[in-house]
């Protein structure tokens, strides 16, 4: 029975297995050598490979991963070979041991040679597959490894020797390596090829459209994409950027482009495909799944790195017991101490290397996921319906069991606190959203707030919302304190439970085992300490995923609302049959009802009607913005849209007109001429390259409207929709636009235009009269003129206005008007004299209104640190925080020292103290250290919370008190970035980082003190090591600091673009420009991700070098302990090693916190930057307060007034001098950009005069407080401004009037019935109704039928009217004509009309001719 089996027993022999493996590796080594020689002899063939192909093929073949695997196996076998050699040193080697050493040596050489072969063969090659023989060898290697593993498992069960345990470890590594190599050798994936193609294809339009000279950072792609193995391992690919940052201040163009799928251009298509592969609505699970699938390979790598890091971190505690035994003279073989020291160092290096790459990969994953989610949200905002937008606006046996149970019990205490933290986090996010929404609304309307003197009231509203937010913030922070304290004390509680249980069951405690246990518990402290942050992050991730999912699930615009026909396929441009539409589909009543009309190609269709009749809603239905209930809507051809309220992008004028189209100079000039923009561009300092402020702040209302019309014309669409665009321009310009645009450039186009100006109706091929959401009348002018009352009311009001105009032209000049005429002429002559010499003043150096965002240069100075730590309670809590941490550190070291000193070095030694005393003293020290942690955590949170609150209040007070010029030149995205991102860092991150900096500094000092207590020479070595660390830190910090600042600067454009896109979504969709704006968003997102990615790489670059330096100190300490064991107490030496194991981590965290602290304190720096902006003059000057009755007469004297918007801008008003009589009505007219609105702003002091002054009732308005001035004046702004809330809160934000007075005001404006019918919500009012809510006809361009009725309410007041219609100033007592910032004419209307050559007469004559023409046409047709 035995005889046959004995013939194959050799297969189970270790010597055969090792010999066979060695032979297999020898064959590989020889094959690689022959291949190398042959290649050298035949070199000179195809040579250079394509770098473009390489970028694909290297990823395709898992080149880097394979290279890392081969090199890792080589290093692993080298370590096993050295350990085996030291283990066998001094002994006689058996044949099996010699073969084992030979096998390990051959493995080391062959795998190292294979790594070299892969690098030289494939680094500059475009080959698609690994060689067949190499893949076959990998298959044999996997089979042999599995065979060896099975045999060694069998032998281990049979013998269980240490040698076989080593074999098992080697077999496990070999099996996993073989599996990986077979996978990459016999499978292929094209995913990377697809994702990287846009970056490699020079003809890719999507990339070319994204890249501009300002944001590309040159053509260089990050070196990380093409870095070699050594460069990746050591982060040397960051050398060039860090060196550049050390020589100069880094700018965005110095930061390389992202590589492959790290760019949102590469990552987002893959993410979108994965998300859309699951049909149905987006859920939290589907979103999380798509995000995971996007980065699953990176997650697997991080899991492997985390495993290596974890295993490496536990090697040290495991070896401490053996190390103490070795120092105590109980070593099993010679040189055991050196082998243990070598093992300590190798394990520490592996741990450090894995940790560095683990953290970098996690940052890389985070950057990528943030980019794709931001892009997804942005894209969704372009398709969301208006209704959804309104509704919506992250040790021994039983002793170890006792320790585990204690861990579970203590950590379970965190569960209820974790649930509380989740709830508080959710509430905190909700309250923050409300505050940011209100802040955004206020910033958008800051001008009207300052004009009305309401800014402090709205500041109190922000502070009230902040008060709600801080209540949740406080609960969240103090809950996190409890979780943190539990995490910090858990290791010590576990240690007490473990040691106590061991004593109860009689397990002897010796110093080696105690120190090993304490070191293990110390390792546990890091993940347990991080657990609160992990729980918090998981909670925030869950909340964020829920919020993102809910947003992605909001209703989009109806995709099938419009039946789009191919251009040119039909004679009908627009057709609606039985159309019913509603803004709110859940509402029982429709917004538009029974809509039926057909528009043929080339027709001009006018839409008119009273306020709120549904005119704008009709255009919205054609655009697909208004949800359709029933009916059909057909559209044939491309469309362009001009909104009632102009939407202007940040950027220059040319970019706004081109709107993504290429430059056609002939068409461009034609459009400028038609829109009367050429003269305006000549007056602007940079022509069409003038940068427009946010929402066109440095343009007049008429200029913004004409730029918007020019944008539509340049698109050369087939269908044009105009929503009353001529109401915001003066009469002359309106006439010119109508003639040149509608009747000229668009003569062959289909045009639907909403208008309240009857003179524009007669040329229409079809007129639609809207009433209560229905088409009340439809037809040509003459057909509907006498067929119903609705149209007759509009025409009748127009006739009345014309007859009034005729009577004014023919009427005599009154004595009162004569007097005003004389005064006006005198001032006019004086004004003409003052023009002399102004040319030099205007021709001074000029700059754009909106400048590039300012960022500090150089280091974050000590004043920033000092300001931060002394903001709360003058810094009184800081010493107590440091004292509490120092107390904790001393007591923690004392407890560990007590356990090491009081326990015997071996089982045979007599204990120094009794077991009960040992435990009592240890527990006492532990309790004391726990109180230190509690005190430190509470004080730190209190100080951080107080600091954040104080800086928030100061920031918002300074912003609200800033002059209007600050808001004109500062995009709201920059302000919102500080109020959101920087403020969140101030609340959530900076206190922890600053506290951690102090903690780690004290911890590092404690570790060095303990190590020096055992081997004082360590202190000498630590000095140059620390010096080298400081040098590296100083070399690194300039680049890291500027990268962090760039992160803050690049975030503002993303926010700004998002806000602009939301406000202009209708315009963007109407031009079918969604894809262009999506690409722009991706470009801005990548510009933000670039500094984030490289900032993470720079941090790990520094930390890797810190780890290597700390390893030198650690190795030197171990060498001293091993070389001179007789001079050292083994237990205390073990204590030193226990603390030395944490040296690299303490050093890393200290440097990390210092650098991270400086980076994060840039948020404080940015907030302090806005806290220091100059404020407006005081709201109240007690010494110069006017009487309560001021102004009683209302006379306004303007004396040589000169105004410019900023010191670097040209003069807008260039020396005005005139008087507005008290109690009289003065009309101001002039071409667009003549300075009309600027004069009103100077009156309200939103812009301070450069020279001259304004007197009201003999009081210089510059000498009184702003609130005293603005609260005594009232203004009806050109653009209606509404705030979210009720009608009452908009009419009376200061809450000074009764309900009866509010209803009286509403009834006077003929809005009372409308508000009663629609409810008290502002969102239900139309654009014009909102304008009427501002108390004036000029604000909303209301129909003329109401203008005279409303003006009678101001009969006893001084009224200054900026007129866009001549008829609105005909009944004024005086008219002021402005031109280019100077007074051209100033006289009574009758006097100016007598002079037929006056500018005013020419404007009236042009208006009369235009208006009469329409009636002549209609009469002729009748």
């Amino acid at each position: 029975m035995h005889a046959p089996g004995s013939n194959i027993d050799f297969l189970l022999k270790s010597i055969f297995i090792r010999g066979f493996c060695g032979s297999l590796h020898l064959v590989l080594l020889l094959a690689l050598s022959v291949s190398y020689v042959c290649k050298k002899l035949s070199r000179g063939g195809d040579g250079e490979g394509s770098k473009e192909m390489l970028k694909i093929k290297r990823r395709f073949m898992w080149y880097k991963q394979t290279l890392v695997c081969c090199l890792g196996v080589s290093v692993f076998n080298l370590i096993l070979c050295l350990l085996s050699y030291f283990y066998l040193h001094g002994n006689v080697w058996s044949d099996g041991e010699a073969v084992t050493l030979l096998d390990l040596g051959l493995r080391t050489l062959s795998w190292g040679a294979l790594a070299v072969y892969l690098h030289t063969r494939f680094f500059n090659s475009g080959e698609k597959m690994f060689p067949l023989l190499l893949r076959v060898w990998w298959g044999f290697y996997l089979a042999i490894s599995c065979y060896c593993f099975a045999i060694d498992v069998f032998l281990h069960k049979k013998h269980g020797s240490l040698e076989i345990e080593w074999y098992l470890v080697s077999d496990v590594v070999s099996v996993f390596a073989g599996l990986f190599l077979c996978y990459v050798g016999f499978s292929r994936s094209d995913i990377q090829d697809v994702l990287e193609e846009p970056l490699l294809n020079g003809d890719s339009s999507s990339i070319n459209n994204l890249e501009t000279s300002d944001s590309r950072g040159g053509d260089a792609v990050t070196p990380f994409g093409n870095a070699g193995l050594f460069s990746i391992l050591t982060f040397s690919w960051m050398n060039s950027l860090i060196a550049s940052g050390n020589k100069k201040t880094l700018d965005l163009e110095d930061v390389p482009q992202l590589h492959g799928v790290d760019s949102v251009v590469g990552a987002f298509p893959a993410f979108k495909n994965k998300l859309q592969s699951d049909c149905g609505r987006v859920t939290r699970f589907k979103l999380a799944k798509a995000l995971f699938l996007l980065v699953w390979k990176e997650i697997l790598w991080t899991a492997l790195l985390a495993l290596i890091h974890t295993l490496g971190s536990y090697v040290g505690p495991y070896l401490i017991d053996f190390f103490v035994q070795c120092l105590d003279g109980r070593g099993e073989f010679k040189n055991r101490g050196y082998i243990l020291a070598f093992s300590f160092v190798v394990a520490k290096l592996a741990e450090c290397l894995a940790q560095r790459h683990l953290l970098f990969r996690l940052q890389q994953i985070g950057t990528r996921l943030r980019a794709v989610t931001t892009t997804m949200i942005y894209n969704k905002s372009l398709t969301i319906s208006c209704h959804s937008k309104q509704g919506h606006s992250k040790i021994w046996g039983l002793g170890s069991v006792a320790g585990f149970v204690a861990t579970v019990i203590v950590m379970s205490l965190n569960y209820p606190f974790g649930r509380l933290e989740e709830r508080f986090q959710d509430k905190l996010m909700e309250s923050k959203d409300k505050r940011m929404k209100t802040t955004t609304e206020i910033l958008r309307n800051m001008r009207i707030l300052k004009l009305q003197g309401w800014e402090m009231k709205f500041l109190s509203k922000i502070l009230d919302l902040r008060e709600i937010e801080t209540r949740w913030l406080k609960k969240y922070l103090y809950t996190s304190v409890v979780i943190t304290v539990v995490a910090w004390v858990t290791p010590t509680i576990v240690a007490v439970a473990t040691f106590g249980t061991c004593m109860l069951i009689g397990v002897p405690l010796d110093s080696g085992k105690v120190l090993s246990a304490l070191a293990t518990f110390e390792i546990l402290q890091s993940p347990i300490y991080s657990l609160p942050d992990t729980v918090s992050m998981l909670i925030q991730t869950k909340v964020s995923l829920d919020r993102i999912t809910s947003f992605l699930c909001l209703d989009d615009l109806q995709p099938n609302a419009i039946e789009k026909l191919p251009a040119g396929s039909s004679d009908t441009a627009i057709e609606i049959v039985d159309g019913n539409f509603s803004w709110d589909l859940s509402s029982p009543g429709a917004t538009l009802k029974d809509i039926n009309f057909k528009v043929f190609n080339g027709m001009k269709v006018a839409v008119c009607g009273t306020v709120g009749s549904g005119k704008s809603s009709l255009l919205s239905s054609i655009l697909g913005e208004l949800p359709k209930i029933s009916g059909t809507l057909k559209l044939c051809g491309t469309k362009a849209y001009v909104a009632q309220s102009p939407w202007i992008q940040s950027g220059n004028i040319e970019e706004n007109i081109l709107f993504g189209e290429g430059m056609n100079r002939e068409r461009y000039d034609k459009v400028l001429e038609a829109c009367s923009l050429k003269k305006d561009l000549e007056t602007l300092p940079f022509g069409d390259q003038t940068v427009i402020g946010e929402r066109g702040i440095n343009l007049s209302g008429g200029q913004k409207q004409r730029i918007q019309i020019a944008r539509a014309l340049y698109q050369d669409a087939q269908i044009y929709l105009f929503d009353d665009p001529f109401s915001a321009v003066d009469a002359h310009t309106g006439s010119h636009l109508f003639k040149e645009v509608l009747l000229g450039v668009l003569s062959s186009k289909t045009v639907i235009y909403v208008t309240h100006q009857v003179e524009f109706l007669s040329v229409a091929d079809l007129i639609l009269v809207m009433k209560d959401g229905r088409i009340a009348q439809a037809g040509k002018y003459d057909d509907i003129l006498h067929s119903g009352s609705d149209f007759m009311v509009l025409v009748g009001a127009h006739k009345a206005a014309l007859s009034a105009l005729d009577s004014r032209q023919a009427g005599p000049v009154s004595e009162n008007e004569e007097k005003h005429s004389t005064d006006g002429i005198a001032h006019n002559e004086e004004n003409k004299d003052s023009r002399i010499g102004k040319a030099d003043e205007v021709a001074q150096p000029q700059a754009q209104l909106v400048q590039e965002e300012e960022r500090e240069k150089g280091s974050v100075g000590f004043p920033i640190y000092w300001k931060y730590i002394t903001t709360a309670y003058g810094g009184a809590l800081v010493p107590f925080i440091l004292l509490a941490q120092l107390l904790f550190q001393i007591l923690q070291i004392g407890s560990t020292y007590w356990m090491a000193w009081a326990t015997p070095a071996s089982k045979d030694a007599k204990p120094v103290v009794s077991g009960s005393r040992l435990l009592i003293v240890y527990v006492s020290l532990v309790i004391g250290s726990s109180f230190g942690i509690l005190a430190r955590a509470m004080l730190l949170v209190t100080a951080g919370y107080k600091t954040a609150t104080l800086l928030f209040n100061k920031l918002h007070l300074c912003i609200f008190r800033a002059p209007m010029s600050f808001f004109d030149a500062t995009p709201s995205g920059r302000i919102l970035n500080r109020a959101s991102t920087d403020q969140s860092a101030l609340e959530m991150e900076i206190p922890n980082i600053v506290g951690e900096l102090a903690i780690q500094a004290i911890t590092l000092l404690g570790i060095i003190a303990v190590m020096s207590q055992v081997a004082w020479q360590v202190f000498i070595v630590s000095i140059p090591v620390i010096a080298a660390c400081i040098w590296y830190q100083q070399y690194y910090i300039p680049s890291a600091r500027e990268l962090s600042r760039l992160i803050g600067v690049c975030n503002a454009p993303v926010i700004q673009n998002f806000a602009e896109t939301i406000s202009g979504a209708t315009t963007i969709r109407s031009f079918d420009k969604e894809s262009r704006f999506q690409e722009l968003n991706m470009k801005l997102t990548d510009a933000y991700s670039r500094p984030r990615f490289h900032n993470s790489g720079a941090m790990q670059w520094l930390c890797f070098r810190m780890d290597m330096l700390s390893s030198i100190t650690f190795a030197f300490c171990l060498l001293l302990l091993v070389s001179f064991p007789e001079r050292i107490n083994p237990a205390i030496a073990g204590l030193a090693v226990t603390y030395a194991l944490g040296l690299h981590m303490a050093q890393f965290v200290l440097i990390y916190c210092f650098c991270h602290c400086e980076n994060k304190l840039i948020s404080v720096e940015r907030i302090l930057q806005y806290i220091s902006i100059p404020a407006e003059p005081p709201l109240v000057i007690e010494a110069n307060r006017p009487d309560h009755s001021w102004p009683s007469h209302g006379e306004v004297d303007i004396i040589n007034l000169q105004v410019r918007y900023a010191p670097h801008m040209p003069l807008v008003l260039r020396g005005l001098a005139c008087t507005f009589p008290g109690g009289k009505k003065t009309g101001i007219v002039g071409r667009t950009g003549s300075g009309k609105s600027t004069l009103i702003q100077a009156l309200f002091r939103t812009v301070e005069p450069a020279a001259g002054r304004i007197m009201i009732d003999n009081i210089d308005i510059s000498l009184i407080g702003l609130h005293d001035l603005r609260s005594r004046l009232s203004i009806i702004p050109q653009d209606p401004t509404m705030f979210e809330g009720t009608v009452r809160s908009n009419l009376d934000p200061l809450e000074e009037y009764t309900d009866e007075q509010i209803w009286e005001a509403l009834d006077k404006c003929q809005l009372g019935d409308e508000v009663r019918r629609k409810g008290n919500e502002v969102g239900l009012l139309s654009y014009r109704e909102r304008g009427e809510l501002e108390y004036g006809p000029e604000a909303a361009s209301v129909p003329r039928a109401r203008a005279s009725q409303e003006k009678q309410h101001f009969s006893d007041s001084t009224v200054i009217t900026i007129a866009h219609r001549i008829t609105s100033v005909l009944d004024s007592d005086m008219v002021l004509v402005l031109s280019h910032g100077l007074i051209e004419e100033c006289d009574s209307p009758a006097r100016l009309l007598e002079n037929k050559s006056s500018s005013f007469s020419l404007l009236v004559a042009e208006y009369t001719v235009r208006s009469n023409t329409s009636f002549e046409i209609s009469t002729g047709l009748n």
Side-chain angles (χ1 to χ4, degrees), residues 1227-1268:
I1228 301 177
V1229 297
R1231 306 292 187 192
T1232 298
S1234 59
K1236 304 185 295 293
S1237 297
T1238 303
L1239 176 58
I1240 300 301
Q1241 291 186 58
L1243 193 62
F1244 281 81
R1245 292 180 61 191
T1246 57
V1247 56
E1248 295 290 338
R1253 55 181 178 161
I1254 300 175
M1255 309 283 290
I1256 298 180
D1257 284 359
N1258 299 319
I1259 292 182
D1260 189 343
I1261 64 172
S1262 64
L1263 301 179
I1264 63 175
L1266 290 180
H1267 188 268
D1268 285 335

Side-chain angles (χ1 to χ4, degrees), residues 997-1275:
L997 180 64
I999 292 168
Q1000 295 304 325
I1002 294 172
T1003 301
L1004 183 62
L1005 292 175
I1007 291 174
I1008 293 176
V1010 171
M1011 293 172 65
S1012 302
Q1013 185 75 16
V1014 178
W1016 60 267
Q1017 295 88 346
V1018 171
F1019 185 73
I1020 298 175
V1021 174
S1022 65
I1023 293 176
V1025 169
I1026 291 175
C1029 289
I1030 293 174
W1031 184 87
Y1032 268 117
Q1033 186 266 340
Q1034 293 297 319
Y1035 184 76
Y1036 150 87
I1037 201 66
S1039 301
R1041 182 172 52 238
E1042 298 310 320
L1043 286 171
S1044 294
R1045 284 175 174 148
L1046 284 173
I1047 291 171
V1049 169
C1050 292
N1051 195 25
V1054 177
I1055 299 174
Q1056 177 71 18
N1057 181 59
F1058 208 110
E1060 281 189 348
T1061 301
I1062 291 173
S1063 63
T1066 300
T1067 300
I1068 294 169
R1069 288 192 291 259
S1070 67
F1071 286 93
D1072 296 323
K1073 294 291 185 180
E1074 294 96 328
S1075 60
R1076 172 178 170 259
F1077 277 82
Q1078 289 168 359
E1079 290 179 353
L1080 174 63
N1081 175 67
M1082 287 196 288
K1083 184 190 78 171
L1084 295 174
T1085 302
D1086 268 346
Y1088 173 71
S1089 297
R1090 280 158 50 196
R1092 276 182 65 95
F1093 176 86
H1094 289 91
N1095 191 41
S1096 173
M1099 172 58 71
Q1100 301 310 322
W1101 177 92
L1102 174 68
C1103 293
F1104 173 80
R1105 283 145 183 79
M1106 299 293 103
D1107 289 343
M1108 296 302 103
L1109 290 170
S1110 66
S1111 297
I1112 294 174
T1113 306
F1114 182 49
F1116 183 76
C1117 177
L1118 291 171
L1119 189 63
L1120 285 176
L1121 296 176
V1122 172
S1123 301
F1124 307 101
E1126 66 280 355
R1127 302 180 184 178
I1128 304 168
N1129 182 336
I1132 303 304
L1135 175 66
V1137 174
T1138 302
Y1139 274 90
L1141 287 173
L1143 176 64
H1144 86 284
M1145 181 56 69
Q1147 188 171 295
F1148 153 67
V1149 175
L1150 178 63
I1151 298 296
Y1152 173 84
C1153 286
F1154 182 77
C1155 299
H1156 200 44
C1157 183
E1158 177 144 339
N1159 292 344
K1160 283 298 178 181
L1161 274 175
I1162 291 171
S1163 292
V1164 179
E1165 179 184 71
R1166 285 159 56 81
I1167 288 175
L1168 292 176
Q1169 187 183 60
Y1170 273 23
I1171 288 177
S1172 61
I1173 56 178
E1176 280 187 309
L1179 295 176
V1180 175
I1181 301 176
E1182 293 296 341
N1184 286 323
R1185 297 207 69 172
D1187 296 334
H1188 292 291
S1189 59
W1190 181 86
S1192 56
H1193 184 51
E1195 182 174 277
V1196 180
D1197 290 316
I1198 300 176
I1199 304 170
N1200 191 29
L1201 184 64
Q1202 300 177 23
V1203 174
R1204 57 164 53 93
Y1205 281 103
H1208 57 269
M1209 300 293 289
L1211 287 171
V1212 180
L1213 298 181
R1214 302 187 290 164
L1216 299 190
C1218 62
T1219 298
F1220 299 149
K1224 302 297 182 180
K1225 296 177 177 60
T1226 302
I1228 301 177
V1229 297
R1231 306 292 187 192
T1232 298
S1234 59
K1236 304 185 295 293
S1237 297
T1238 303
L1239 176 58
I1240 300 301
Q1241 291 186 58
L1243 193 62
F1244 281 81
R1245 292 180 61 191
T1246 57
V1247 56
E1248 295 290 338
R1253 55 181 178 161
I1254 300 175
M1255 309 283 290
I1256 298 180
D1257 284 359
N1258 299 319
I1259 292 182
D1260 189 343
I1261 64 172
S1262 64
L1263 301 179
I1264 63 175
L1266 290 180
H1267 188 268
D1268 285 335
L1269 170 66
R1270 294 169 182 171
S1271 62
R1272 311 297 175 88
L1273 307 179
S1274 185
I1275 186 170

Side-chain angles (χ1 to χ4, degrees), residues 125-175:
S125 171
E127 295 188 29
K128 299 181 179 180
M129 297 288 289
F130 288 115
L132 177 62
L133 290 178
L134 181 59
R135 288 182 281 143
V136 170
W137 189 89
W138 281 341
F140 273 114
Y141 174 72
L142 176 61
I144 294 300
S145 299
C146 292
Y147 171 74
C148 292
F149 178 70
I151 296 300
D152 287 334
V153 169
F154 170 76
L155 293 176
H156 182 262
K157 289 182 178 180
K158 189 174 181 180
H159 302 292
S161 65
L162 178 63
E163 182 181 3
I164 295 178
E165 289 181 357
W166 286 12
Y167 290 160
L168 278 174
V169 174
S170 175
D171 293 338
V172 170
V173 173
S174 299
V175 168

Side-chain angles (χ1 to χ4, degrees), residues 346-622:
V346 169
K348 185 56 63 178
L349 289 174
E351 176 193 354
C352 295
L353 193 62
Q355 186 182 35
R356 298 284 68 79
H357 287 275
L358 172 63
L359 294 176
F360 174 71
R361 292 287 179 178
L362 289 174
Q363 290 283 346
Q364 184 183 20
I365 291 171
T367 300
R368 192 183 305 174
L369 295 183
R370 181 194 181 280
V372 296
T373 50
T374 301
T375 304
M376 177 61 76
I377 293 170
Y378 179 88
N379 291 354
K380 177 68 176 182
S381 69
L382 280 171
T383 63
I384 194 172
S385 66
C386 293
H387 177 66
S388 297
K389 192 183 294 183
Q390 290 173 358
H392 206 81
S393 257
K394 33 153 61 232
I395 306 191
W396 311 282
L398 292 175
S400 61
V401 173
F404 174 74
V405 171
T407 304
V408 172
I409 292 174
V410 174
M411 293 312 299
S412 64
L413 295 176
N414 271 340
Y415 178 76
F417 292 111
R419 297 286 296 179
L420 275 177
E421 191 177 40
E422 178 181 5
R423 176 171 170 266
F424 296 153
Q425 170 78 12
D426 203 4
K427 294 294 185 181
L428 178 61
M429 297 285 279
E430 287 180 11
S431 57
K432 192 184 293 288
D433 278 351
K434 290 179 182 177
R435 172 176 64 82
M436 290 308 301
K437 185 177 181 180
T438 304
T439 303
T440 304
E441 187 178 49
I442 288 173
L443 290 176
R444 188 170 60 243
N445 301 305
M446 183 58 77
R447 184 176 300 277
I448 186 61
L449 295 184
K450 288 190 172 291
L451 290 173
Q452 299 284 12
W454 293 345
E455 66 266 41
M456 301 315 292
K457 174 65 179 179
F458 279 79
L459 173 60
S460 66
K461 180 188 282 191
I462 292 288
L463 296 180
D464 290 342
L465 290 172
R466 172 65 180 176
E467 183 64 29
I468 297 172
E469 180 186 347
T470 52
R471 284 205 293 267
W472 293 114
L473 176 64
K474 191 182 295 185
K475 292 177 181 179
Y476 175 82
L477 292 175
Y478 283 110
T479 304
S480 68
V481 166
V482 177
I483 297 176
T484 301
V485 171
V486 170
W488 270 92
V489 301
T490 295
T492 52
I493 294 176
V494 172
V496 169
T498 303
F499 297 151
T501 304
C502 288
M503 293 179 63
L504 287 175
I505 63 177
V507 176
L509 295 176
D510 59 67
S511 57
K513 289 185 173 59
V514 167
L515 290 172
S516 181
L518 289 174
T520 304
F521 298 150
E522 195 68 29
I523 291 174
L524 286 174
Q525 184 179 33
S526 180
I528 293 174
Y529 174 64
S530 302
L531 188 62
D533 291 333
T534 305
V535 172
S536 178
M537 288 299 106
L538 288 174
I539 291 169
Q540 291 184 38
T541 302
K542 176 182 176 296
V543 171
S544 297
L545 285 175
D546 286 338
R547 289 156 57 82
I548 292 172
T549 302
S550 64
F551 179 75
L552 294 179
C553 289
L554 293 175
D555 293 333
D556 286 338
L557 292 171
Q558 295 174 336
N560 57 351
I562 303 176
E563 183 182 341
K564 295 185 179 180
L565 305 176
S569 62
S570 173
D571 292 335
T572 302
I574 302 169
E575 182 180 9
I576 301 180
V577 179
D578 298 329
N580 291 278
F581 304 86
S582 176
W583 287 113
D584 186 0
L585 293 176
S586 62
S587 175
T591 306
L592 297 179
K593 299 173 282 290
D594 303 325
I595 303 298
N596 289 277
F597 71 92
K598 180 185 291 188
V599 179
F600 293 100
N601 291 328
M603 283 183 64
K604 304 294 181 288
V605 179
V607 183
C608 59
T610 58
V611 172
S613 58
K615 302 180 298 299
S616 297
S617 295
L618 181 64
L619 294 189
S620 296
S621 68
I622 298 172

Side-chain angles (χ1 to χ4, degrees), residues 23 25 51 83 126 157 304 389 396 491 558 702 768 792 876 940 1094 1217 1343 1401:
S23 302
H25 284 85
K51 282 192 174 182
L83 289 174
K157 289 182 178 180
L304 177 61
K389 192 183 294 183
W396 311 282
Q558 295 174 336
L768 302 178
M792 294 234 3
L940 187 61
H1094 289 91
S1401 291

Side-chain angles (χ1 to χ4, degrees), residues 734-753:
S735 174
H736 175 86
L737 288 175
F738 188 81
K739 178 182 177 183
E740 296 296 328
V741 175
L742 264 71
L743 304 181
V745 178
L746 302 181
S747 59
S748 61
K749 306 287 186 179
T750 304
V751 182
I752 299 181
Y753 60 98

Side-chain angles (χ1 to χ4, degrees), residues 195-237:
L195 290 179
E196 293 195 2
E197 186 178 354
L199 290 177
L200 308 175
N201 184 358
D203 297 329
S204 174
S205 60
S206 62
I207 299 300
N208 290 337
N209 289 340
L210 292 182
E211 293 171 351
T212 61
S213 59
D214 291 335
S215 62
R216 271 194 56 76
D219 292 325
V221 177
T222 176
F224 174 75
N226 300 317
L229 177 63
F230 178 80
S231 179
I232 289 177
L233 288 175
T234 61
F235 295 93
S236 298
W237 55 272

